[in-house]
C-alpha cells in the first residue's frame, strides 16, 4: 500500500469515527428524550395518555441493552407510575440481563400479573431456564420472616406454568413428584415447620400444571392425589386439577379455590350424597364434572362412605351425576 493510499484510508477512518460518535450521541439523545417522555406520560396518570405512554415504551425497546440501566432504575420503586411499562420494555429487550432483572422483580413485586405476563408473552421459552434456576435455588433453602416461612416461589412457578413447553412441563411434574415424596408424613403447620419445600405451595404447583394443559401431567397429579385421604382439600384440588387438564378447562385459580373448599372433612362426602345443603350443592354445581366415574377412580368409595340411598325411580346414581 502506498503512503498516499494509506493516508486517504486513515483520513476516511477518522471521518467515519467522528460520524459514528455523532450517531451514538444522537441515538443517546433520542433515547433520553423518550425516557423523559415515558416518565412524564406515566406521571400524568391519565387514561387519555396511556396509549401514548405504551407507544413510547415500545419505541424504547429498539435501543436494546442501552436502555436497561434506566429501566432497572425505574423498577427499583414499585410506586413509580412507570414501573409496569419499564418491565414491559425490559421484556421486549429480552436479553439475559433484562430477563434476570424481571425474574428478580417477580419474587418481590405486587404487580405480579403485569410482570408475569411480560415474561411469559414477550420473552417466552427463553425465560424458562432463568425461572427454573430461581425455583431450584429455593429448594432446601426456605425463606423465613417474623410471620413464618414465605412461599416466595409461587410467582415463578405460575409464570413457568404459563409458558407451555416440554422443559416447563418436565420440571413442574418432577417438582410435584419430589414435593409429594419429601412431604412430612404427619400433619404440619406450613408456616412453621421447616422442610425442603417450606417456601413452596402445592396448589400453585398444581395450578401451573393446569396452565400447561398437557395430559402427560395427569399420572403425576393422580399419584399426588392418592397420597391424601379423599376427604382432604388437597385430594379434591388434585382431582380438580386433573379434570381441568383431561377436559381442557383451564379456567379458575386453584390456590383460591382451595381456601374456598376448606370445609369440614365430610364436606365432599356430603356433596356426593346429594344433600340439599347449599354449600354442598354449590360444590357439585362447580366441580361435579371432575368427579365422574370416568375421571375419578375413587367415585365408588365416596358414594359408599357418604351412604347415599338412590331414589326408587333412579338408576342408582346420585342425582347430581345423572
Amino acid at each position: 500500500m502506498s503512503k498516499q493510499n494509506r493516508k486517504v484510508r486513515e483520513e476516511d477512518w477518522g471521518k467515519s469515527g467522528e460520524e459514528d460518535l455523532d450517531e451514538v450521541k444522537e441515538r443517546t439523545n433520542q433515547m433520553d428524550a423518550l425516557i423523559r417522555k415515558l416518565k412524564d406520560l406515566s406521571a400524568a396518570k391519565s387514561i387519555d395518555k396511556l396509549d401514548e405512554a405504551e407507544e413510547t415504551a415500545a419505541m424504547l425497546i429498539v435501543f436494546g441493552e442501552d436502555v436497561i440501566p434506566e429501566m432497572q432504575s425505574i423498577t427499583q420503586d414499585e410506586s413509580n407510575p412507570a414501573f409496569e411499562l419499564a418491565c414491559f420494555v425490559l421484556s421486549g429487550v429480552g436479553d439475559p440481563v433484562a430477563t434476570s432483572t424481571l425474574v428478580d422483580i417477580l419474587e418481590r413485586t405486587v404487580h405480579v400479573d403485569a410482570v408475569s405476563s411480560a415474561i411469559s408473552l414477550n420473552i417466552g421459552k427463553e425465560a424458562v431456564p432463568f425461572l427454573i434456576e430461581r425455583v431450584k435455588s429455593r429448594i432446601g433453602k426456605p425463606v423465613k420472616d417474623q410471620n413464618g416461612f414465605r412461599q416466595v416461589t409461587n410467582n415463578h412457578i405460575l409464570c413457568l406454568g404459563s409458558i407451555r413447553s416440554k422443559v416447563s412441563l418436565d420440571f413442574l411434574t418432577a417438582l410435584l413428584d419430589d414435593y409429594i415424596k419429601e412431604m412430612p408424613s404427619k400433619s404440619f403447620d406450613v408456616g412453621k415447620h421447616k422442610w425442603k419445600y417450606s417456601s413452596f405451595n402445592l396448589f400453585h404447583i398444581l395450578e401451573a400444571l393446569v396452565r400447561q394443559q398437557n395430559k402427560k401431567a395427569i399420572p403425576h397429579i393422580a399419584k399426588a392425589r392418592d397420597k391424601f385421604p379423599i376427604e382432604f382439600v388437597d385430594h379434591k384440588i388434585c382431582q380438580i386439577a386433573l379434570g381441568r387438564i383431561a377436559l381442557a378447562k383451564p379456567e379458575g385459580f386453584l390456590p383460591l379455590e382451595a381456601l374456598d373448599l376448606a370445609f369440614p372433612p365430610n364436606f365432599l362426602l356430603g356433596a356426593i350424597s346429594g344433600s340439599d345443603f347449599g354449600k354442598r350443592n354449590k360444590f357439585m354445581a362447580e366441580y361435579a364434572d371432575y368427579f365422574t366415574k370416568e375421571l375419578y377412580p375413587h367415585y365408588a368409595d365416596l358414594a359408599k362412605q357418604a351412604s347415599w340411598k338412590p331414589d326408587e325411580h333412579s338408576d342408582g346414581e346420585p342425582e347430581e351425576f345423572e
Side-chain angles (χ1 to χ4, degrees):
M1 181 185 297
S2 68
K3 290 183 179 181
Q4 184 177 3
N5 287 337
R6 184 167 64 245
K7 183 177 180 180
V8 170
R9 294 196 179 186
E10 288 173 352
E11 289 175 352
D12 289 343
W13 181 88
K15 290 179 180 178
S16 177
E18 291 174 0
E19 291 171 357
D20 289 345
L21 183 59
D22 289 339
E23 290 178 1
V24 170
K25 289 181 179 179
E26 178 62 24
R27 176 184 168 87
T28 301
N29 290 337
Q30 290 176 355
M31 183 180 72
D32 291 343
L34 287 172
I35 291 172
R36 288 193 298 271
K37 184 177 180 180
L38 178 69
K39 292 179 178 179
D40 291 342
L41 290 170
S42 300
K45 298 181 180 180
S46 169
I47 297 178
D48 295 335
K49 295 184 178 181
L50 180 59
D51 288 344
E52 189 177 357
E54 292 176 347
E55 291 175 2
T56 303
M59 293 172 66
L60 280 168
I61 292 173
V62 302
F63 293 95
E65 62 182 18
D66 292 338
V67 80
I68 291 177
E70 190 63 36
M71 296 301 103
Q72 288 175 321
S73 177
I74 293 174
T75 59
Q76 291 300 308
D77 179 9
E78 291 201 49
S79 66
N80 191 316
F83 178 88
E84 291 190 5
L85 287 176
C87 290
F88 169 76
V89 174
L90 288 170
S91 69
V93 174
D95 76 347
V97 174
T99 303
S100 181
T101 298
L102 289 171
V103 170
D104 289 341
I105 292 172
L106 196 57
E107 186 167 285
R108 59 176 170 79
T109 186
V110 296
H111 301 267
V112 177
D113 291 340
V115 179
S116 183
S117 294
I119 294 173
S120 60
L121 297 178
N122 297 339
I123 302 177
K125 294 179 181 180
E126 297 298 321
V128 169
F130 293 86
L131 292 164
I132 288 177
E133 187 60 33
R134 178 54 57 88
V135 173
K136 283 183 175 180
S137 72
R138 296 304 186 190
I139 298 175
K141 298 178 181 178
V143 178
K144 189 174 184 179
D145 58 22
Q146 60 182 359
N147 297 316
F149 291 104
R150 294 172 52 218
Q151 295 176 339
V152 296
T153 62
N154 292 345
N155 294 344
H156 297 92
I157 288 171
L158 292 180
C159 190
L160 268 173
S162 298
I163 304 173
R164 296 180 183 179
S165 72
K166 183 180 184 303
V167 177
S168 295
L169 179 67
D170 288 348
F171 176 77
L172 290 168
T173 52
L175 184 67
L176 176 62
D177 290 345
D178 197 53
Y179 182 102
I180 296 300
K181 176 184 176 183
E182 296 291 332
M183 189 173 57
S185 58
K186 297 181 180 179
S187 297
F188 62 97
D189 187 332
V190 296
K192 297 179 180 179
H193 182 77
K194 182 178 180 181
W195 65 299
K196 188 175 180 181
Y197 289 106
S198 292
S199 291
F200 293 70
N201 180 281
L202 172 62
F203 304 131
H204 283 79
I205 299 173
L206 293 169
E207 174 64 24
L209 285 170
V210 169
R211 294 182 182 188
Q212 287 285 298
Q213 283 295 291
N214 191 313
K215 291 184 178 181
K216 290 181 179 179
I218 289 178
H220 301 270
I221 298 173
K223 183 178 179 181
R225 175 199 64 203
D226 294 342
K227 286 291 184 178
F228 301 101
I230 58 177
E231 66 269 18
F232 276 38
V233 169
D234 311 68
H235 181 100
K236 300 177 220 175
I237 292 296
C238 283
Q239 179 58 29
I240 293 169
L242 184 156
R244 284 180 175 165
I245 295 174
L247 301 177
K249 295 181 177 180
E251 295 78 13
F253 188 63
L254 293 177
L256 289 182
E257 291 169 279
L259 293 176
D260 192 46
L261 295 180
F263 293 103
N266 64 349
F267 171 69
L268 182 56
L269 302 181
I272 294 293
S273 72
S275 168
D276 290 332
F277 184 50
K279 292 180 180 178
R280 293 170 180 168
N281 287 338
K282 178 183 177 182
F283 177 88
M284 296 310 299
E286 293 184 4
Y287 301 115
D289 288 348
Y290 312 130
F291 290 85
T292 62
K293 283 184 176 180
E294 291 76 18
L295 284 179
Y296 189 51
H298 304 288
Y299 180 95
D301 293 334
L302 281 173
K304 182 179 180 180
Q305 291 189 37
S307 299
W308 60 270
K309 296 179 180 180
D311 183 85
E312 61 180 0
H313 300 296
S314 75
D315 59 2
E317 297 282 350
E319 184 177 355
E320 288 86 353
F321 285 80
E322 292 183 343

